[in-house]
Amino acid sequence: MKTSKFLAKFMMRLVFILLLVAGFAIVQNSGKLQQLGSINLYQWRLIFPVLLIAGFMGLSVAAAVKKYNQPDLNLLLIVNSVMLIIYGMAVFFQISRIIH
């Protein structure tokens, strides 16, 4: 039980740290990012990232309210965080490949 509690808190902190690093990188390289031009946002293509982000927010609030005492909720939060990090890395690699 303590392991899932620790991992859930660690994954939440890791996601927030990676978001801060990504925001800092966007601010640093804003000139290079203007080369990308406009991005076509198709509705159906965005459904999975929106579901991941909404799920992460919902699970993080629910786990914080329950004070990380439910192992099943912690496990769902860990899996969602891992998938969100993998998706973020895929987007990062695609953008860095286009820029460089």
Side-chain angles (χ1 to χ4, degrees):
M1 176 130 153
K2 290 187 179 204
T3 305
S4 69
K5 188 177 194 178
F6 171 75
L7 280 176
K9 287 181 180 181
F10 175 75
M11 291 305 292
M12 275 194 48
R13 291 176 183 149
L14 183 64
V15 167
F16 287 129
I17 289 170
L18 289 175
L19 281 174
L20 286 174
V21 169
F24 182 72
I26 287 172
V27 170
Q28 287 275 334
N29 299 319
S30 61
K32 290 181 182 178
L33 291 175
Q34 289 177 353
Q35 296 173 355
L36 292 177
S38 63
I39 299 172
N40 295 329
L41 299 176
Y42 298 109
Q43 292 175 350
W44 293 108
R45 200 180 286 179
L46 290 177
I47 190 80
F48 297 113
V50 168
L51 285 175
L52 271 176
I53 293 168
F56 175 76
M57 291 181 350
L59 286 170
S60 62
V61 168
V65 167
K66 304 282 183 178
K67 296 186 181 180
Y68 302 98
N69 288 328
Q70 291 186 341
D72 296 338
L73 195 59
N74 293 341
L75 181 63
L76 285 173
L77 180 60
I78 292 167
V79 171
N80 192 321
S81 299
V82 168
M83 293 304 296
L84 193 59
I85 290 171
I86 290 171
Y87 182 78
M89 288 172 50
V91 169
F92 170 76
F93 289 135
Q94 286 289 2
I95 290 175
S96 66
R97 186 177 57 138
I98 292 171
I99 289 176
H100 293 102

